[in-house]
Amino acid sequence: MENPTNETEAKQIQLNGEKKPKGGIITMPFIIANEAFEKVASYGLLPNMIMYLIRDYRFGVAKGTNVLFMWSAATNFTPLLGAFLSDSYLGRFLTIAIASLSSFLGMVLLWLTAMLPQVKPSPCDPTAAGNHCGSATASQLALLYTAFALISIGSGGIRPCSLAFGADQLDNKENPKNERVLESFFGWYYASSAVAVLIAFTGIVYIQEHLGWRIGFGVPAVLMLIAAFLFVLAFRLYVRRNVSKSLFTGLAQVVVAAYVNRKLSLPNQQDSSITYYHMKDSELKAPSHKLRFLNKACLISNREEEIGSDGFALKPWRLCTTDKVEELKALIKVIPIWSTGIMMSINTSQSSFQLLQATSMDRRLSRHGSFQVPAGSFGMFTIIALAMWVVLYDRAVIPLASKIRGRPFRLSVKLRMGLGLFMSFLAMAISAMVETLRRKKALSQGYANNANAIVDISAMCLVPQYVLHGLAEALTAIGQTEFFYTEFPKSMSSIAASLFGLGMAVASLLASVILNAVNELTSRNGEDSWVSDNINKGHYNYYYWLLAIMSFINVIYYMICSWSYGPLVDQVRNGRVNGVREEEELLDIVRKGFEKEDLRDVVKTN
């Protein structure tokens, strides 16, 4: 959260004796290019990384997947730190510049692991008779993990700041078309991000698979260098806003103040002008009755000692405003619903196992064709499904439903989140079924001891589960982000944007815990683990069924959380306090959709 720039010299640049305004459209190519190149570089490393760890570092499947889970967790945790440092100390420009350099250095180190033979285990064929291949040394692993850490730090600085920094360049309250300009920027920003991820999942993955790791890691490093260079090149053109106190600090102050004032007694009758501290222009003269123990954070015990002549608290760690208290309450209130999205993120993080599945299947587009879809590129079906749903929902589903209904219609955000979680359950169930079929086929063809064999079954069987994962993300991920934005006060927008990423980080950690537990419990007494290094000896289908069962339980848990949460802010504002009107309208639309007379009206209208 940064203060608006209010000094003329902060918005203007001295050039040839004339002052010209900073920011504007001219800065967009540099900012969007930085974000796009960073996404191509970083996302391009992920799909095939499990194969690099298995083949070049001789990690087992479980260990390699755990390393990637930890890397993913770090990458999703660091944006919180990046947002805090940007808001409170460094500013967005400096944060993005330092982060871009960090990402570049990390990718250079990763490229060096592919270029220099001495920084990783020597080549060895573990399947050859008499070969005892050594594992990576501590120093070799340290270099690899340092590369991962630097890339995570870079992502943590770029991703939370890039969008806001771009908006800073265009946000001009004096421009009557300001909202339209910002809307256009957000559209181009997300479009470029989607294209960047698709390029990463196709082009970079193809290069790694056909030209090797040296070029496959070198290209992302070069792209990251270009991204950093382009961003810094335009530094004289940018609007750079002043830093201010972070919202995270304000929330921490509420917790500390409530604890310090824990012995104070709350009044029976609230007198907002005397009892509770609030700003003069605040609509909240007194805090709500929920989570009343936090109300002590804004309870005034001695006005002369606690509030200065300017109306501000002299000790903000002992006395907070009613607005800050309610912001923390809003955050606590959404935690149960936020937690339901963790299971979906656990499911979508199983890409390492899906990559091994695709590698062992026939990846040709047709039986008589020669082109093979790279195993790491199947993730593009998730992105395509997500993008298609967003477009169809906005351009087809909503207009058609509104015509049938006869008035504007939308699916409630709660219903969308619930449908997304159910889609995630279906995705894991189908994953288990497909793996059962693949494993049965592999054993029937005599590949029990040959994990590298290509089973006579099309990898296109994996597409439905990827599509369902995409629909799940389109419904739940976008739905959760919208839910946080609408339920939180405007001052908490930065936290609303960070919560889903935090959920993905927690999901990566929990996925690692689940994987370790499954690996340990199923490999006892000399049995092959469900997640064995040999995909044909293991039981990845059982592992998928476990996640499917957990996902189904999570759907029930979500229904309880949704019911207990009560009406949404928009529902209260629109008088829809029953919280079910949109769902009832949906059933009404389906019923009316089968009425011939209404269908004819729709056809005539079109």
Side-chain angles (χ1 to χ4, degrees), residues 32 35 39 159 163-164 182-197 383 386-387 478 481 485 497:
I32 292 179
E35 171 75 7
K39 271 189 164 54
R159 294 178 186 177
L163 180 62
L182 288 176
E183 181 183 357
S184 178
F185 165 67
F186 291 148
W188 280 105
Y189 180 89
Y190 284 113
S192 66
S193 296
V195 172
V197 173
I383 306 299
L386 189 156
I478 296 176
T481 302
Y485 267 108

Side-chain angles (χ1 to χ4, degrees), residues 400-409 589 592:
L400 180 61
S402 298
K403 286 181 180 180
I404 295 175
R405 184 62 183 170
R407 62 173 180 266
F409 168 83
I589 286 173
K592 284 194 172 185

Side-chain angles (χ1 to χ4, degrees), residues 75-287:
T75 302
N76 286 297
F77 268 126
T78 49
L80 292 175
L81 178 61
F84 173 77
L85 292 176
S86 170
D87 289 350
S88 303
Y89 300 103
L90 301 178
R92 289 171 182 148
F93 171 77
L94 191 56
T95 301
I96 296 174
I98 294 174
S100 298
L101 177 61
S102 178
S103 280
F104 170 66
L105 293 176
M107 291 178 188
V108 168
L109 286 183
L110 188 61
W111 173 68
L112 289 176
T113 65
M115 291 295 295
L116 305 177
Q118 59 268 32
V119 299
K120 63 182 177 182
S122 56
C124 177
D125 183 7
T127 61
N131 275 1
H132 298 284
C133 300
S135 57
T137 64
S139 58
Q140 291 171 339
L141 291 177
L143 182 65
L144 177 68
Y145 295 157
T146 300
F148 288 164
L150 288 172
I151 294 172
S152 293
I153 292 172
S155 298
I158 295 174
R159 294 178 186 177
C161 299
S162 184
L163 180 62
F165 188 68
D168 288 344
Q169 313 308 311
L170 300 175
D171 192 7
N172 182 4
K173 304 300 182 185
E174 298 176 359
N175 183 359
K177 298 182 179 180
N178 187 52
E179 290 186 5
R180 182 68 189 94
V181 171
L182 288 176
E183 181 183 357
S184 178
F185 165 67
F186 291 148
W188 280 105
Y189 180 89
Y190 284 113
S192 66
S193 296
V195 172
V197 173
L198 281 177
I199 293 174
F201 282 176
T202 53
I204 302 299
V205 168
Y206 184 87
I207 290 172
Q208 291 170 355
E209 192 162 303
H210 290 82
L211 301 179
W213 301 116
R214 294 184 176 185
I215 298 178
F217 289 163
V219 170
V222 171
L223 291 177
M224 197 62 237
L225 176 62
I226 295 173
F229 175 75
L230 288 176
F231 180 77
V232 176
L233 182 65
F235 78 99
R236 291 184 178 275
L237 302 177
Y238 297 134
V239 171
R240 282 173 274 180
R241 299 188 184 276
N242 299 323
V243 297
S244 63
K245 185 179 70 175
S246 170
L247 179 61
F248 296 103
T249 303
L251 296 178
Q253 288 173 341
V254 174
V255 176
V256 173
Y259 177 78
V260 171
N261 300 332
R262 65 190 182 281
K263 295 183 180 180
L264 297 179
S265 298
L266 292 172
N268 294 327
Q269 294 184 348
Q270 299 175 353
D271 187 344
S272 61
S273 63
I274 300 175
T275 308
Y276 292 106
Y277 173 54
H278 56 84
M279 304 307 294
K280 292 182 179 180
D281 58 347
S282 174
E283 297 179 359
L284 289 171
K285 306 302 181 183

Side-chain angles (χ1 to χ4, degrees), residues 41-50 68 71 201 208 351 355:
S42 59
Y43 278 87
L45 297 175
L46 290 174
N48 279 332
M49 187 56 67
I50 185 64
L68 295 184
W71 187 22
F201 282 176
Q208 291 170 355
S351 57
L355 177 71

